[in-house]
Amino acid sequence: MSHYNFKKIITVPTAKDFIDVILSKTQRKTPTVIHKQYAIGRIRQFYTRKVKYTQQNYHDKLTQILTDFPKLDEVHPFYADLMNILYDKNHYKLALGQINMARHLIDNVAKDYVRLLKYSDSLYRCKCLKKAALGRMCTIVKRQAQSLQYLEQIRQHLTRLPSIDPNTRTLLICGFPNVGKSSFLNKVTQADVEVQPYAFTTKSLYVGHTDYKYLRWQVVDTPGILDHSLEDRNTIEMQSITAMAHLRASILYIMDVSEQCGYSIEEQVSLFNNIKALFANKPLILVANKVDIRKIAELPDAKKKYFDEFSKENIPILEMSNLNEEGVMLVRNEACERLLAHRVELKAKSSRVNDVLNRLHLAEPVKRDSKERPPCIPQAILQKRESTMEVEKVRKKLERDLELELGDEYTLDLRKTWDLRNNEEKYDSIPEIWNGHNVADFVDPEIMEKLNQLEEEEDRLIESGFYDSKEEANDDDSKKIKKLAKRIRTTRKLGILESRFNKSHKRKAQLPRTTQKVARSRLEKTMEDMGLDMTNKDDAHYNKSVARSESHKPVKRAREDSEGHVRSSSRLPRDKSGMRDQSMMERARDMTKKSQRKLLNKESRVGEADRSIAVKKPKHLFSGKRKNGKTDRR
């Protein structure tokens, strides 16, 4: 696995936290109530489950730790060597081996005590075996306290490492301390690496990203290297050596020609020759930095000869200045171009290219004769082209063009497009009234025809006598009816006023109209005062039921029960319908109460399946006496 994601490694707990988490989980996830009266098989199963559950939790946690941490034999050599430099691979492998051994020991302890629990004959012995098994497991974990602490420190450091892909397009910056490596990284990428005027400001690898030719490039800034043997290099310098040795990148060796970094050009050239073996089969560019102070051409001949030797070895030399950004982008582009060409060359030399080329065929057309076959363009198209090229089409001026041309003097004129018989009348004012007529009525061109049709229709109606006044029939009778109606309305209004006057002086409770009975004589007198004829009104119905005559016999005989009571023909109540006698009714009532007893007597339960017991204090946590020592529940 070449690109490892170290940020997904789970946190490694301390030994004490590890034990607390596992035992607490066992207490919460397994049954907690057991009695000596239970069958011995049930007691054995109870404690066996606790031992197995604890062992499984330890096994899963330790396996997760061993799986998440990278194996040095499986990761990319760059990461393997980097971890060896930072953490010492022997110590790292030893810590993981101890965790693996602890996992096997815990599994063996659980297996042994489960075998012993099968032959225990009492609750006391089962409990003692369970206690011993859990105690031995916890002791094994306690002994791994230093290994767990060491792995947690490694995890924290791994998460802070930059995410470097060893196989992608990479630019690697190297050189003496304080020559401008971090400044160059800040110029070409979005990274913000600390830059200070003293040596070894950068103490680890830093990564930035830039875009060139629509491709993503990673730029790696390495710590400064001093010119001494490999055995004398410290951890900071060895990170740079590891990156140069394992990353397939374009190397930018930066030199300070102004010698303000504290190292002479001779020392920088000597370092270049010492680490030159690491640049084999990689694009290399020699960058002369700080040319704003002194350029290569201004160097004395004794120091200029080193750059002449580099030119003879076909090593490109570029000048730049991070201060005024002179040549910075040129250096980046040249490094990217050389790396792209180098990667294409490597792919062309690989065996996989032949497999691809065998599946490709490049067709190259060949002339069949010497006859010229120019493109055929229709004559109409050629004429159109000539006309458009010679005569430029005049574009009509739009209102928008006029507005831009006139500016504040522009006014929208809608009348200039009117099409009138006399164009001089475009801007004349239009009157609303002309010779006593509304001008809007004459806008319709067919208005005169419609007017003639209306006049003809009016003449026909007049001729047919539609508007002639008709004499009403029974003129005397209608006058009497109108006079009587007027009198009735007047009497009714007077009655309403009188009623309102009497209502304000009376302090009696008002009764609804249905309870107030009006005598027949009073009603007839009132109607006669209004002018109505009330003679021969004996058969009139004034909301009064006519009494049945004694001589009138009922049509049907009244139904009687066995006791002689007259039974009504209306519907009986449901509890009495279909019942023979009183005893049958009482029996049916008892049966109804018994059937409803199950529904009504629910004992505060939601339903039949409600088995919840709302206990505020669980018995297994609060029963029994507390002994000396710890007061926690375990």
Side-chain angles (χ1 to χ4, degrees):
M1 187 175 181
S2 60
H3 186 56
Y4 208 93
N5 190 1
F6 300 121
K7 293 180 174 58
K8 289 187 177 180
I9 303 176
I10 64 169
T11 305
V12 181
T14 61
K16 185 178 183 304
D17 294 341
F18 206 159
I19 295 171
D20 289 343
V21 169
I22 297 299
L23 293 183
S24 177
K25 190 175 182 181
T26 303
Q27 181 72 9
R28 287 184 289 108
K29 298 290 186 179
T30 56
T32 54
V33 179
I34 190 70
H35 298 290
K36 61 181 179 181
Q37 295 86 1
Y38 290 170
I40 187 63
R42 183 176 176 182
I43 297 173
R44 291 170 183 167
Q45 184 183 7
F46 176 85
Y47 287 106
T48 302
R49 181 176 176 182
K50 285 185 175 293
V51 174
K52 284 185 175 181
Y53 190 82
T54 306
Q55 175 263 333
Q56 189 63 40
N57 285 333
Y58 274 127
H59 183 89
D60 294 343
K61 284 281 188 181
L62 296 175
T63 304
Q64 184 70 25
I65 293 173
L66 294 173
T67 305
D68 286 351
F69 275 90
K71 295 179 175 57
L72 298 181
D73 298 334
E74 297 179 1
V75 298
H76 193 273
F78 165 69
Y79 281 119
D81 284 0
L82 188 63
M83 294 177 66
N84 181 27
I85 293 168
L86 296 174
Y87 318 123
D88 185 6
K89 68 177 182 181
N90 294 327
H91 193 182
Y92 175 73
K93 287 184 176 181
L94 185 62
L96 291 179
Q98 289 176 347
I99 297 297
N100 189 28
M101 181 58 67
R103 183 181 61 173
H104 289 303
L105 289 176
I106 289 174
D107 294 345
N108 293 334
V109 166
K111 189 186 301 183
D112 294 341
Y113 277 90
V114 167
R115 189 183 300 113
L116 292 174
L117 279 168
K118 291 181 180 178
Y119 300 101
S120 57
D121 54 357
S122 65
L123 184 144
Y124 176 73
R125 291 193 178 184
C126 290
K127 186 175 182 180
C128 290
L129 289 173
K130 185 268 297 185
K131 191 174 181 179
L134 268 61
R136 288 190 61 183
M137 293 181 195
C138 296
T139 302
I140 293 172
V141 174
K142 281 182 181 178
R143 291 174 181 171
Q144 307 303 322
Q146 292 184 352
S147 298
L148 293 173
Q149 186 178 2
Y150 173 72
L151 290 176
E152 173 61 16
Q153 293 176 357
I154 291 180
R155 184 199 68 82
Q156 293 177 2
H157 197 277
L158 283 174
T159 55
R160 293 193 293 267
L161 283 181
S163 181
I164 300 175
D165 187 359
N167 298 320
T168 192
R169 296 166 292 274
T170 308
L171 303 181
L172 189 65
I173 310 170
C174 61
F176 262 99
N178 206 22
V179 295
K181 300 185 296 298
S182 300
S183 300
F184 178 75
L185 178 68
N186 293 339
K187 294 293 182 182
V188 299
T189 67
Q190 297 294 326
D192 186 15
V193 183
E194 184 182 6
V195 177
Q196 296 294 341
Y198 50 82
F200 288 106
T201 307
T202 304
K203 297 181 180 179
S204 62
L205 300 176
Y206 286 93
V207 181
H209 294 84
T210 185
D211 293 328
Y212 179 70
K213 285 190 175 181
Y214 304 102
L215 296 174
R216 197 72 168 165
W217 299 71
Q218 67 179 3
V219 185
V220 180
D221 179 24
T222 61
I225 309 173
L226 298 179
D227 185 17
H228 47 184
S229 62
L230 186 65
E231 293 78 9
D232 297 334
R233 301 189 191 278
N234 56 20
T235 304
I236 298 176
E237 295 175 279
M238 287 304 297
Q239 296 181 50
S240 302
I241 299 298
T242 304
M244 287 186 285
H246 294 290
L247 294 181
R248 294 186 295 178
S250 179
I251 306 296
L252 297 175
Y253 184 79
I254 298 181
M255 295 179 61
D256 183 5
V257 293
S258 67
E259 299 181 351
Q260 288 186 350
C261 62
Y263 304 96
S264 63
I265 293 180
E266 291 80 1
E267 293 175 331
Q268 299 179 50
V269 172
S270 175
L271 174 64
F272 177 83
N273 294 326
N274 286 340
I275 62 176
K276 191 176 180 180
L278 299 174
F279 304 153
N281 299 324
K282 295 176 185 177
L284 173 63
I285 296 178
L286 189 66
V287 181
N289 192 20
K290 302 182 183 180
V291 295
D292 56 316
I293 301 174
R294 185 166 58 174
K295 296 185 179 181
I296 297 178
E298 301 174 358
L299 294 174
D301 295 337
K303 296 182 179 180
K304 193 185 297 184
K305 66 178 181 180
Y306 296 112
F307 294 97
D308 296 337
E309 293 176 0
F310 291 144
S311 300
K312 292 178 182 178
E313 296 176 6
N314 295 326
I315 298 176
I317 303 173
L318 299 177
E319 295 181 341
M320 76 169 186
S321 173
N322 290 324
L323 184 63
N324 53 20
E325 298 185 2
E326 177 187 352
V328 172
M329 289 297 116
L330 179 63
V331 171
R332 186 204 67 172
N333 297 344
E334 182 66 21
C336 294
E337 288 290 347
R338 286 182 171 272
L339 182 60
L340 283 177
H342 179 70
R343 288 167 68 93
V344 171
E345 183 181 354
L346 290 179
K347 289 180 181 178
K349 292 181 180 178
S350 63
S351 59
R352 294 167 57 185
V353 175
N354 296 328
D355 298 337
V356 178
L357 291 178
N358 291 335
R359 289 177 285 175
L360 299 177
H361 175 69
L362 180 61
E364 297 180 357
V366 181
K367 281 188 175 184
R368 59 185 178 183
D369 52 26
S370 59
K371 184 178 179 179
E372 294 292 334
R373 294 179 176 86
C376 180
I377 302 175
Q379 190 67 26
I381 301 297
L382 293 174
Q383 293 177 359
K384 187 175 181 181
R385 285 183 181 177
E386 292 176 359
S387 62
T388 54
M389 291 174 63
E390 293 175 358
V391 181
E392 184 178 0
K393 187 177 179 181
V394 179
R395 191 173 70 90
K396 179 184 176 182
K397 267 193 175 183
L398 302 177
E399 291 293 325
R400 177 60 178 166
D401 299 334
L402 293 174
E403 183 182 1
L404 296 174
E405 183 180 346
L406 299 176
D408 296 337
E409 299 178 359
Y410 170 77
T411 55
L412 181 61
D413 187 6
L414 298 177
R415 293 193 180 191
K416 63 182 179 181
T417 58
W418 287 4
D419 187 11
L420 301 180
R421 186 179 300 172
N422 187 4
N423 288 331
E424 297 176 356
E425 298 176 355
K426 282 184 180 180
Y427 296 97
D428 293 349
S429 59
I430 302 175
E432 296 182 2
I433 304 298
W434 183 258
N435 294 334
H437 298 284
N438 193 351
V439 176
D441 295 339
F442 297 91
V443 174
D444 192 352
E446 301 177 357
I447 190 69
M448 299 306 297
E449 297 178 5
K450 294 179 181 179
L451 179 61
N452 294 333
Q453 292 176 3
L454 289 174
E455 290 178 351
E456 292 175 0
E457 185 180 357
E458 192 73 15
D459 294 340
R460 288 196 300 270
L461 290 175
I462 292 172
E463 290 176 0
S464 62
F466 182 77
Y467 295 109
D468 294 344
S469 59
K470 300 177 181 180
E471 295 182 358
E472 297 181 359
N474 300 326
D475 194 18
D476 296 337
D477 295 340
S478 62
K479 289 181 179 180
K480 289 181 181 179
I481 292 173
K482 290 181 180 179
K483 186 177 181 181
L484 181 59
K486 183 177 180 181
R487 185 178 177 183
I488 290 173
R489 283 195 293 269
T490 305
T491 307
R492 185 169 175 271
K493 289 180 179 179
L494 292 173
I496 291 172
L497 293 174
E498 183 181 359
S499 175
R500 289 178 179 175
F501 179 76
N502 294 334
K503 188 184 294 184
S504 61
H505 294 285
K506 292 179 181 178
R507 294 297 181 182
K508 296 181 180 179
Q510 295 183 4
L511 298 176
R513 184 177 295 179
T514 55
T515 60
Q516 296 177 357
K517 296 181 179 180
V518 182
R520 181 187 181 96
S521 59
R522 179 185 172 188
L523 182 61
E524 290 180 352
K525 183 177 181 303
T526 304
M527 300 301 286
E528 287 177 355
D529 293 340
M530 289 184 179
L532 294 177
D533 186 11
M534 299 302 294
T535 57
N536 299 325
K537 298 293 183 180
D538 294 337
D539 297 333
H541 178 62
Y542 297 133
N543 197 15
K544 181 180 180 182
S545 61
V546 181
R548 181 178 292 179
S549 175
E550 293 181 359
S551 62
H552 182 72
K553 299 295 183 181
V555 179
K556 293 178 68 176
R557 183 177 63 87
R559 290 184 295 175
E560 298 179 357
D561 55 9
S562 60
E563 298 179 359
H565 300 292
V566 177
R567 298 170 61 193
S568 174
S569 60
S570 61
R571 182 179 296 179
L572 290 173
R574 291 188 63 182
D575 56 344
K576 296 181 180 179
S577 177
M579 300 296 174
R580 290 193 303 270
D581 51 8
Q582 188 69 22
S583 62
M584 189 175 183
M585 291 172 60
E586 293 177 356
R587 183 181 175 190
R589 194 178 296 112
D590 294 341
M591 292 174 65
T592 304
K593 288 183 178 180
K594 287 181 180 179
S595 64
Q596 293 178 348
R597 190 173 298 165
K598 291 183 179 180
L599 298 175
L600 298 176
N601 189 17
K602 294 174 67 173
E603 297 180 355
S604 302
R605 291 182 296 171
V606 177
E608 295 180 356
D610 187 7
R611 296 289 187 272
S612 63
I613 301 175
V615 180
K616 293 183 178 179
K617 293 186 176 183
K619 185 177 180 182
H620 69 281
L621 294 180
F622 293 94
S623 62
K625 295 181 179 180
R626 288 189 179 274
K627 298 182 180 180
N628 295 333
K630 295 183 178 178
T631 58
D632 59 352
R633 64 174 182 273
R634 211 184 316 121

